Amino acid sequence: MLNSRYSFGGDEHIFVEVSEEMSLEAFFKALSMTNAVREASIKGVTEICPANASFQIKFDPDLIHPDDLMSELKRMEEEAGRASPVLNTRIIEIPVYYQDPWTHETLMRFRERHQDPSSSDIDYAARINGFASVDEFIAAHSGQPWFVSMVGFVSGLPFLYQMVDRPHQIQVPKYLRPRTDTPKLTVGYGGCFSCIYSVRGAGGYQMFGITPMPIYDPTQQTGYLKDFMVFFKPGDIVKWKPIDRAEYDRCVAAVEANTFAPRIREVEFSLDAFNADIEGTNAKLLEALNAD
Amino acid sequence: MPIDVRKTGLATTVQDLGRPGYYHLGIPMGGAMDRFALRCANLLVGNDEGAACLETVFMGPELTFTEDTLIAVTGAELPPKIDGEIRETWTALAVKAGQTLSFDYLRAGARAYIAFAGGIDTPPMLGSRSTYAIGGLGGIDGRAVQAGDVLPLGTPARPVAEGRTLAERLRRLPGNPAELRVLPGLYWHRITEASGERFFAETWKVALEADRMGYRFQGGTPMEFVDREPPFGAGSDPSNITDACYPYGSIQIPSGTEPIILHRDAVSGGGYFMIGTVISADMDLIGQLQPQTPTRFVKVNMHTALAARRERASQLAAMREALG
């Protein structure tokens, strides 16, 4: 049973920590509570931000007293606990060029900020997670699907949670000191989360590779980002597809010609079914992704 | 009637009152760091309060006008010069086609707002013209203003007279030492009671890393953490949390050493604990702090925070009344 912790973030935010530690249970509870708050259309609530194992509400205290909103949220927690953790969502295949030259060039520039200056980020991650080789590590990273448990930090950046049991989850510390540069579309890793850097900039996550697929386009020229500039939303499921340089170049050319279309399939995800049979649930998700 | 940008100063961006509504996707509200100053600059030249202005830091740009217009400079005490002649801040000033606006040296504060009659008319994105450079949104091509840019202006909403000014008692800049009121909370329980008391007792200093995303402070004693087993997913450093949302104004202390207050271009979340949040009434002041400014954090409760918010609202009402 997860007992949420409530706190005011100044006079304009309420911060709710569903659980200190990450789990899909905590994510689902945070998501169902934020959905309940959105549906309730509470006067004065201006922003609803779900996160991995917590969420945040921004409000206008001129329209609702902070204590009243706090009571309302606590009341909603009881209802959210009864919601069945089923999500109609989509699974997306994201091509990844692991060990690409661009993130490699960048990680070499910031070696003195890393735990192990003598190896690359992915060598280090493979070693501390007990993999015999980088290839085995890539197979583990790309073999099972991932859950988008938060969108944020900057411009549509997804945090992704590995859909395997806890003993098999990859964990990697962040850089000792954040880099001042990260290539756009770097596939990164910090704590138990993968991410895709949506834009170029500072970052503290380990860098494993790069995707040719834009996930944020403020100009909305990219075909699949015409309706909205941000690609991901919490609850999306992702499958990484390892690609080589030739495939990467083909994808980039397709993106530039605006003919690149990500493989996306609609799926239903049930947390109970997942917990009962992780491998079986994932196999069905991948079957849906690969069906034509 | 466009304006030609001759020089940009250190960092000059187009800002209005921002684009709330997309923080859950990592796109912050943005907009003027000192919202009171931006509203005032607009009212002085007859614009709606939320029209787009230039926000300039420490030293101003140099601009040439192609048509007669009305301007006002508010916020930091950064005196404007029209064809070299020093003029008043917080005052509607007439400029003629062909004249050049430049700035004298900074006397106080950090960010000045330059309003033009009609407002800057760059294309709005997600409902705002504010520049969010990290995400390439707003302003001119999603970036800060550069020499050679041409700033388009809208049609003036209503004619107003030059020379109108906001009385000094209605203006607001931080004191020295600056005082920022803070509501403790969020992950306050991660530090010891003694460490929490020390945070409020000590005088901190604004660091060089102080921008639209956040303000860093130095010079205080590092935090003392309460022992714990790192929760799964949080990371091993005692200052780590499972990545969560960050409130605007929240104070995070990576590794427990240098507090960072997130501002209008905040990152929407991350993995560092926060000890509390600067109250809404004091957010405008942060953007006016220069590096090295001694700063005290003052502990308040929600009652005080809401009273301060009402006081700010009445000051805003008084400003509107004076310029109405």
Side-chain angles (χ1 to χ4, degrees):
Chain A
M1 187 62 198
L2 299 164
N3 284 314
S4 300
R5 187 174 65 79
Y6 291 77
S7 177
F8 288 114
D11 49 327
E12 293 185 337
H13 307 84
I14 291 179
F15 180 92
V16 184
E17 184 188 62
V18 172
S19 165
E20 271 194 308
E21 61 171 39
M22 181 56 193
S23 67
L24 280 182
E25 283 73 15
F27 165 77
F28 265 88
K29 186 167 174 191
L31 188 69
S32 62
M33 283 189 69
T34 52
N35 286 339
V37 175
R38 193 174 301 106
E39 280 157 24
S41 303
I42 302 165
K43 189 177 160 193
V45 167
T46 56
E47 305 242 14
I48 300 166
C49 303
N52 294 304
S54 57
F55 67 93
Q56 178 175 300
I57 305 294
K58 187 166 191 279
F59 64 95
D60 180 348
D62 301 336
L63 297 178
I64 186 166
H65 193 282
D67 292 335
D68 292 342
L69 181 56
M70 183 71 98
S71 315
E72 185 69 15
L73 292 178
K74 286 180 176 168
R75 192 186 60 73
M76 284 181 167
E77 182 177 0
E78 293 168 26
E79 284 170 31
R82 291 196 292 273
S84 96
V86 172
L87 199 62
N88 288 310
T89 182
R90 54 182 188 165
I91 182 166
I92 307 131
E93 184 176 79
I94 308 278
V96 185
Y97 179 18
Y98 290 93
Q99 299 182 284
D100 66 288
W102 304 284
T103 58
H104 188 78
E105 186 276 330
T106 307
L107 69 87
M108 290 309 287
R109 271 192 285 139
F110 293 98
R111 231 50 219 138
E112 87 289 357
R113 301 182 185 210
H114 194 272
Q115 289 82 354
D116 183 359
S118 64
S119 72
S120 71
D121 291 9
I122 200 167
D123 285 334
Y124 168 74
R127 194 178 69 246
I128 65 167
N129 281 281
F131 291 93
S133 68
V134 168
D135 285 348
E136 273 184 32
F137 179 81
I138 291 172
H141 186 260
S142 60
Q144 298 298 314
W146 295 68
F147 209 88
V148 175
S149 51
M150 177 169 172
V151 176
F153 181 58
V154 294
S155 313
L157 177 152
F159 290 80
L160 302 111
Y161 184 69
Q162 196 176 12
M163 292 168 65
V164 294
D165 59 357
R166 192 171 284 184
H168 289 98
Q169 281 186 325
I170 297 164
Q171 286 199 78
V172 192
K174 296 167 192 168
Y175 270 48
L176 296 175
R177 284 182 296 131
R179 295 175 306 273
T180 53
D181 193 16
T182 310
K184 182 178 165 179
L185 296 177
T186 291
V187 174
Y189 214 102
C192 67
F193 297 105
S194 236
C195 81
I196 305 172
Y197 284 90
S198 52
V199 293
R200 185 179 176 180
Y205 276 32
Q206 308 278 340
M207 297 183 290
F208 295 165
I210 200 160
T211 174
M213 179 184 151
I215 59 165
Y216 173 73
D217 178 9
T219 66
Q220 290 175 263
Q221 298 297 307
T222 309
Y224 57 90
L225 297 172
K226 271 203 166 64
D227 291 340
F228 196 61
M229 59 183 73
V230 170
F231 181 74
F232 283 109
K233 52 183 180 293
D236 281 341
I237 295 172
V238 163
K239 169 70 172 61
W240 309 113
K241 179 193 177 194
I243 57 169
D244 60 12
R245 176 64 190 260
E247 178 68 13
Y248 177 84
D249 289 344
R250 271 195 297 277
C251 291
V252 167
V255 166
E256 277 163 10
N258 214 351
T259 56
F260 185 87
R263 174 173 279 265
I264 302 174
R265 296 292 181 269
E266 305 295 318
V267 288
E268 187 190 78
F269 178 81
S270 153
L271 183 60
D272 293 339
F274 177 80
N275 285 334
D277 178 11
I278 294 179
E279 281 183 21
T281 305
N282 287 352
K284 274 186 205 151
L285 289 170
L286 297 184
E287 201 179 301
L289 176 67
N290 294 316
D292 270 313
Chain B
M1 16 178 225
I3 294 167
D4 295 325
V5 179
R6 309 278 291 269
K7 295 179 188 165
T8 60
L10 274 180
T12 301
T13 54
V14 174
Q15 299 293 344
D16 54 21
L17 291 174
R19 55 176 66 82
Y22 304 95
Y23 203 44
H24 64 293
L25 299 172
I27 299 172
M29 65 184 289
M33 286 186 75
D34 183 346
R35 293 162 65 92
F36 179 86
L38 177 124
R39 289 176 192 274
C40 180
N42 276 322
L43 290 180
L44 280 167
V45 299
N47 292 346
D48 292 336
E49 280 179 26
C53 296
L54 289 179
E55 177 182 271
T56 190
V57 189
F58 304 143
M59 55 186 285
E62 191 177 303
L63 310 172
T64 304
F65 295 82
T66 59
E67 282 188 41
D68 298 357
T69 188
L70 203 61
I71 66 159
V73 177
T74 64
E77 200 50 32
L78 183 71
K81 296 195 287 189
I82 297 176
D83 280 352
E85 186 193 337
I86 294 191
R87 303 295 302 274
E88 309 78 16
T89 54
W90 301 87
T91 303
L93 307 171
V95 287
K96 298 212 173 317
Q99 286 194 311
T100 295
L101 171 68
S102 60
F103 289 84
D104 208 46
Y105 68 89
L106 180 69
R107 310 294 209 276
R111 283 176 177 76
Y113 294 84
I114 312 164
F116 310 91
I120 297 172
D121 194 21
T122 45
M125 292 176 86
L126 300 179
S128 165
R129 296 183 170 87
S130 288
T131 313
Y132 172 51
I134 294 166
L137 289 178
I140 294 178
D141 300 332
R143 56 161 172 78
V145 172
Q146 291 175 358
D149 282 346
V150 174
L151 301 173
L153 292 188
T155 310
R158 56 193 80 84
V160 293
E162 67 174 301
R164 287 203 313 160
T165 188
L166 185 73
E168 249 177 81
R169 66 183 167 80
L170 294 176
R171 307 174 193 175
R172 189 184 187 218
L173 279 178
N176 193 332
E179 286 195 350
L180 299 176
R181 288 169 286 186
V182 173
L183 186 70
L186 303 171
Y187 289 84
W188 175 256
H189 57 279
R190 289 289 304 118
I191 55 172
T192 63
E193 201 181 321
S195 188
E197 279 171 18
R198 211 161 39 225
F199 172 80
F200 286 115
E202 290 182 330
T203 299
W204 297 78
K205 255 192 208 167
V206 178
L208 281 175
E209 288 164 75
D211 57 23
R212 293 187 44 81
M213 183 189 285
Y215 259 63
R216 186 183 283 260
F217 293 81
Q218 294 172 326
T221 308
M223 301 300 118
E224 255 172 39
F225 288 94
V226 173
D227 284 340
R228 69 159 186 198
E229 270 297 305
F232 179 79
S236 49
D237 192 273
S239 68
N240 285 153
I241 58 170
T242 297
D243 291 59
C245 296
Y246 290 151
Y248 295 105
S250 62
I251 305 172
Q252 56 179 267
I253 315 183
S255 305
T257 54
E258 296 179 349
I260 300 169
I261 303 176
L262 291 181
H263 216 269
R264 311 281 185 219
D265 284 359
V267 288
S268 70
Y272 291 114
F273 89 118
M274 305 153 272
I275 61 161
T277 309
V278 173
I279 65 173
S280 63
D282 287 353
M283 284 295 283
D284 280 355
L285 291 179
I286 296 171
Q288 296 298 357
L289 297 176
Q290 295 177 9
Q292 299 297 327
T293 305
T295 304
R296 296 284 304 277
F297 298 107
V298 180
K299 184 178 179 176
V300 296
N301 59 22
M302 182 63 85
H303 182 77
T304 307
L306 294 177
R309 186 181 172 90
R310 284 191 294 274
E311 191 192 337
R312 292 299 299 142
S314 68
Q315 283 165 331
L316 186 59
M319 185 260 279
R320 286 174 181 147
E321 173 85 25
L323 301 178

